Amino acid sequence: MGMILTLALLLGLAPAADCAPKPTVVLVHGAWAGTSSWNGETERLQRAGYVVRAYANPLQGLTSDAAGLAAFLKTIDGPVVLAGHSYGGSVITNAAASSPNVKELVYVDAAAPAVGETTGQLSGAGSALSGPASTLYDKVGSELYLKQSVFVGSFGPDLPKTTARELWAEQRPAAMAAFTTPSQAAAWQKIPSWYVIGAADRIITPQSQQAMAKRANAKVRTVPGGSHLTLITHPDPVTEQILAAAKAAC
């Protein structure tokens, strides 16, 4: 019976069993957001039987944020699929380089810097963040808050206006160092990568993301009408891309 099943699998006549153990999925949010931005994906992934950890990104600077994530990854047994949104993409790019349990990287409307590049350099021509800082941010010491007009009009323009204003009010500030610190690693050079690109992203332009995805040889899924907050407004395609990465990790 065992020989028959093996032959059937080789011939593609029988489904392969689910992989065991399933990888843990670690989700890393970006600037002006929090772990709750991944709620839609967390619910769907847990329903599919995956252990999910939404990492609280400190947003204090690329070097320290990546080191913190790398330390967190060491506490997880078994393979990991590591997903990052926005600035979180830069953090996973650096943290995964020293984390051998990371088997797949997933970028969601995210930066995927090469060594020496900063997150701020990757927004792309025409990004809403290209304007004068005084029109974009409310600055408190070294930390930046997005102005309400920028958050509602460019960060999450496909959200209901009341929801966008609520998220703006709840935003976590990001230190300037998050955007100006050069990347020290490029984990996508060695780890298989996946990309979700919101076709209407005004923060990191689709053109910039496509260029980063191409050089990473990433498998790309484009979400028509998706803003920079595709993970909130379109959790289904984002989850499907993460699930594809998780299956590839097997």
Side-chain angles (χ1 to χ4, degrees):
M1 186 69 172
M3 291 181 63
I4 294 174
L5 178 58
T6 300
L7 180 60
L9 287 171
L10 290 173
L11 295 175
L13 300 177
D18 288 341
C19 68
K22 288 183 175 179
T24 298
V25 179
V26 177
L27 307 171
V28 182
H29 66 81
W32 308 301
T35 55
S36 64
S37 59
W38 290 107
N39 281 355
E41 290 76 14
T42 298
E43 176 189 353
R44 288 161 173 78
L45 290 165
Q46 288 179 337
R47 197 186 309 146
Y50 287 87
V51 174
V52 183
R53 304 294 300 274
Y55 177 73
N57 189 356
L59 308 177
Q60 292 302 296
L62 182 54
T63 302
S64 61
D65 290 346
L69 176 58
F72 177 78
L73 293 171
K74 289 179 181 178
T75 69
I76 298 174
D77 293 327
V80 168
V81 172
L82 186 57
H85 169 244
S86 190
Y87 162 67
S90 293
V91 177
I92 70 171
T93 296
N94 282 260
S98 60
S99 304
N101 56 337
V102 176
K103 304 304 180 184
E104 307 283 331
L105 297 170
V106 184
Y107 294 90
V108 181
D109 294 317
V115 174
E117 289 180 339
T118 68
T119 303
Q121 290 174 322
L122 299 172
S123 295
S127 166
L129 299 184
S130 300
S134 60
T135 67
L136 299 172
Y137 311 112
D138 293 317
K139 189 174 181 182
V140 180
S142 63
E143 296 188 322
L144 305 175
Y145 290 82
L146 272 186
K147 289 184 177 292
Q148 183 174 352
S149 59
V150 180
F151 195 106
V152 175
S154 298
F155 200 68
D158 55 347
L159 289 167
K161 289 292 189 293
T162 54
T163 302
R165 287 193 291 267
E166 289 171 1
L167 292 177
W168 167 78
E170 298 168 359
Q171 69 175 292
R172 291 181 54 216
M176 179 66 76
F179 311 108
T180 59
T181 302
S183 179
Q184 297 178 8
W188 46 261
Q189 291 179 328
K190 295 183 178 180
I191 301 174
S193 300
W194 306 69
Y195 239 101
V196 179
I197 300 175
D201 193 335
R202 300 177 187 174
I203 301 298
I204 304 178
T205 66
Q207 293 78 14
S208 179
Q209 293 183 58
Q210 287 161 2
M212 289 184 283
K214 183 177 180 180
R215 71 182 181 185
N217 196 31
K219 297 177 178 65
V220 176
R221 177 158 185 173
T222 301
V223 180
S227 71
H228 192 60
L229 292 180
T230 301
L231 75 171
I232 296 177
T233 58
H234 296 80
D236 284 331
V238 175
T239 302
E240 289 165 7
Q241 192 75 322
I242 294 173
L243 285 172
K247 292 174 182 176
C250 295

